[in-house]
Amino acid sequence: MTRSSGGDDAPTQSAWKALAGAAYRPYWLDDPGRPGPRPALVGEERCDLLVVGGGYSGLWTALIAKERDPDREVVLVEGQEIGWAASGRNGGFCAASLTHGLGNGAARWPDELAELERLGHRNLDAIESAVERYGIDCDFERTGEIDVATEPYQVAELREVARLAVELGVGEQEFLDRDAVRAEVDSPTFLAGLWDRRGVAMLHPAKLAWGLARACAQLGVRIYEHTPAERLVSTGAGMAVRTPYGRVRARQVALATNAFPSLVRRVRPYIAPVYDHALMTEPLDQERLDAIGWRGRQGLSDTANHFHYFRLTADRRILWGGYDIIYRYGGRVRAEYDHHPATYRTLAQHFFRCFPQLEGVGFSHAWGGAIDTCSRFSAFFGSAHGGRVVYALGYTGLGVGATRFGAEVMLDLLAGERTERTRLEMVRSKPLPFPPEPVRWAGIGITQWSMTRADENGGRRNLWLKAMDKVGLGFDS
């Protein structure tokens, strides 16, 4: 197991106590409105398009496929239940960025960055429009996000991102000094902030997934749950996917399996599944909310390498996640890895360091899940089996919004169309693959250690990180 090593003091008694009543399950999925399970596939199905995966990536692909061609027969199979994996476990930040932030985009696709930002904001607009059009009740709030500096060197970094945003003419990126950021949300750790007012929305992630599934079904998509796809083979002019109790024959297949092993084996080295964790507080009364002054409902994230993300829910809880990045040897994805008590203790300690005004608040939920990390931190795309199979992978923690863009790319590729999306270098290129084990495990461990040292030393990157930057082999969550 590889994880971050922040060198924190032992958790305080208040942190231990705050975790005492936490349920070890995702808050978003622990909802009375959770729909009942759909039946598994038994026997044989035939369709024009088979979508494998019932998270955002697969749901958007199925929905847009039917919007583009209502007569197309679409089947979607999901190994567990709709939204069970990353789509029901994330922080509920829906970002316009397709490149994991301006900085990463500028480093990798400087000539395309303005176009990628335009497409990203258009994609977020389209998500908002779909939520309204299909009546999806998912607490969608386009309140934006504030990136906060908690170390002096990060203040200069935020100023540089603000300058770059002005240069590109993308969105509203407002720099906030110490007093201004603490007027929005009051933490003694905040030194500055950068407020992206329109480029990020907050939402209830599981309700979005459930709503998308309902919209798909209304358009005629046939959805099967508890139907893992076990094998993909060519059958004449089409494809066949075997499942435990049956088989689907399809003209085309879209793979939306993300952190789970791809049915196209050659793609697997590009993904390193890592585990991210989060806590959810009990509901806060007005006095508690007033103590931190969080009235604008923006999402927040600090800007360290091992960063935290945090936001208010519709029922006035604070979600607090991130920091640790846990990689399991061999890239295994298993349900027992979803929980990591040591990380929960670290997160609780950090929460009360950020908000000492909330001493005594308890956490109601603690959970984790796998993220499909790739070495460039943003999605990559491709096809197999003569163009009859496509995939989109590697969203690296920013898939709530970008998966809709990825769905459009996959459908463009299946159609053989040259579009404004498929012309992009970002779409036509691949990240560097991760090396095989044990080199992968050792390299990730060294990178994590180096990132922690950079956080502790004014952001200064050591020779290892500089070398990784030079070859384009990054690691993030």
Side-chain angles (χ1 to χ4, degrees):
M1 179 181 72
T2 300
R3 55 158 290 175
S4 66
S5 53
D8 295 305
D9 297 331
T12 62
Q13 284 298 110
S14 60
W16 288 102
K17 186 177 179 181
L19 288 165
Y24 277 18
R25 56 182 178 268
Y27 165 79
W28 307 116
L29 297 176
D30 193 18
D31 190 285
R34 183 174 182 171
R38 293 174 170 84
L41 171 66
V42 177
E44 185 164 294
E45 262 277 21
R46 292 179 179 270
C47 59
D48 298 313
L49 173 65
L50 170 64
V51 179
V52 179
Y56 298 138
S57 189
L59 292 166
W60 282 118
T61 302
L63 184 67
I64 297 170
K66 291 294 285 185
E67 289 178 336
R68 290 187 181 187
D69 180 1
D71 294 328
R72 178 162 26 188
E73 284 197 277
V74 180
V75 169
L76 184 150
V77 295
E78 160 57 36
Q80 294 283 338
E81 294 180 6
I82 294 297
W84 173 84
S87 298
R89 298 168 185 263
N90 59 78
F93 289 69
C94 186
S97 178
L98 304 175
T99 62
H100 214 275
L102 280 175
N104 189 56
R108 299 181 187 277
W109 304 286
D111 296 337
E112 290 184 347
L113 186 56
E115 175 70 357
L116 288 166
E117 286 294 306
R118 183 186 69 81
L119 290 171
H121 280 81
R122 191 175 77 184
N123 181 66
L124 182 56
D125 290 342
I127 292 171
E128 184 173 16
S129 176
V131 166
E132 295 174 356
R133 184 166 66 254
Y134 292 107
I136 300 175
D137 180 14
C138 63
D139 304 330
F140 190 97
E141 298 178 278
R142 201 153 175 178
T143 49
E145 178 183 12
I146 301 177
D147 290 334
V148 296
T150 56
E151 296 289 341
Y153 75 90
Q154 296 167 3
V155 177
E157 292 178 351
L158 292 183
R159 288 189 184 276
E160 175 58 22
V161 175
R163 184 202 63 77
L164 181 60
V166 170
E167 182 180 300
L168 292 171
V170 293
E172 300 176 48
Q173 302 269 343
E174 180 184 352
F175 180 82
L176 306 173
D177 64 18
R178 180 181 178 277
D179 290 341
V181 72
R182 291 189 63 174
E184 296 297 330
V185 182
D186 189 15
S187 167
T189 67
F190 294 174
L191 303 180
L194 186 65
W195 190 355
D196 183 351
R197 290 180 177 271
R198 292 287 298 165
V200 184
M202 299 295 108
L203 52 77
H204 187 303
K207 287 183 178 179
L208 174 62
W210 300 332
L212 289 173
R214 185 175 63 252
C216 285
Q218 289 171 352
L219 295 185
V221 177
R222 300 191 293 278
I223 300 174
Y224 298 95
E225 295 182 321
H226 301 288
T227 304
E230 297 179 331
R231 190 179 175 207
L232 172 71
V233 295
S234 297
T235 58
M239 303 299 302
V241 170
R242 291 197 174 275
T243 70
Y245 309 116
R247 177 174 61 179
V248 183
R249 293 181 178 272
R251 203 164 50 82
Q252 297 175 320
V253 177
L255 300 177
T257 50
N258 297 316
F260 295 89
S262 175
L263 293 176
V264 177
R265 295 186 66 89
R266 71 170 184 267
V267 176
R268 295 182 185 182
Y270 292 99
I271 293 296
V274 299
Y275 280 82
D276 181 55
H277 297 83
L279 305 176
M280 185 71 83
T281 71
E282 62 193 6
L284 303 183
D285 59 26
Q286 192 60 48
E287 183 179 358
R288 294 286 195 183
L289 284 175
D290 289 343
I292 57 175
W294 197 343
R295 293 174 295 275
R297 303 188 60 78
Q298 316 93 328
L300 288 98
S301 175
D302 66 53
T303 54
N305 289 305
H306 291 294
F307 62 93
H308 306 85
Y309 53 88
F310 39 117
R311 47 80 51 99
L312 282 173
T313 65
D315 59 350
R316 310 204 312 181
R317 302 168 185 259
I318 295 178
L319 181 147
W320 178 264
Y323 189 74
D324 268 354
I325 308 167
I326 299 176
Y327 173 75
R328 304 283 181 163
Y329 187 90
R332 302 180 185 94
V333 180
R334 295 178 179 171
E336 60 262 36
Y337 297 158
D338 289 344
H339 300 294
H340 198 246
T343 295
Y344 299 149
R345 293 193 297 268
T346 298
L347 285 172
Q349 177 87 338
H350 294 179
F351 177 83
F352 291 111
R353 183 182 303 162
C354 181
F355 293 123
Q357 312 97 305
L358 298 182
E359 189 77 22
V361 167
F363 296 105
S364 64
H365 293 74
W367 72 93
I371 292 173
D372 58 330
T373 293
C374 75
S375 63
R376 72 183 194 188
F377 313 150
S378 49
F380 64 93
F381 314 89
S383 60
H385 294 277
R388 289 172 292 177
V389 176
V390 294
Y391 55 83
L393 295 163
Y395 292 98
T396 316
L398 224 64
V400 178
T403 45
R404 187 193 174 281
F405 175 82
E408 293 213 273
V409 170
M410 286 197 285
L411 292 170
D412 289 350
L413 292 174
L414 286 174
E417 295 177 349
R418 185 168 173 80
T419 67
E420 60 183 346
R421 291 175 289 269
T422 60
R423 286 192 294 266
L424 293 167
E425 174 64 22
M426 176 192 176
V427 170
R428 292 184 290 109
S429 63
K430 294 275 196 306
L432 287 175
F434 291 106
E437 301 290 16
V439 177
R440 174 189 288 205
W441 184 85
I444 289 173
I446 295 169
T447 301
Q448 295 238 56
W449 178 86
S450 298
M451 291 165 64
T452 300
R453 298 288 81 77
D455 284 339
E456 294 171 347
N457 292 288
R460 291 185 291 276
R461 299 172 76 80
N462 63 15
L463 290 177
W464 176 267
L465 290 180
K466 289 178 181 178
M468 294 299 99
D469 292 341
K470 189 171 183 178
V471 300
L473 189 61
F475 181 76
D476 204 350
S477 67

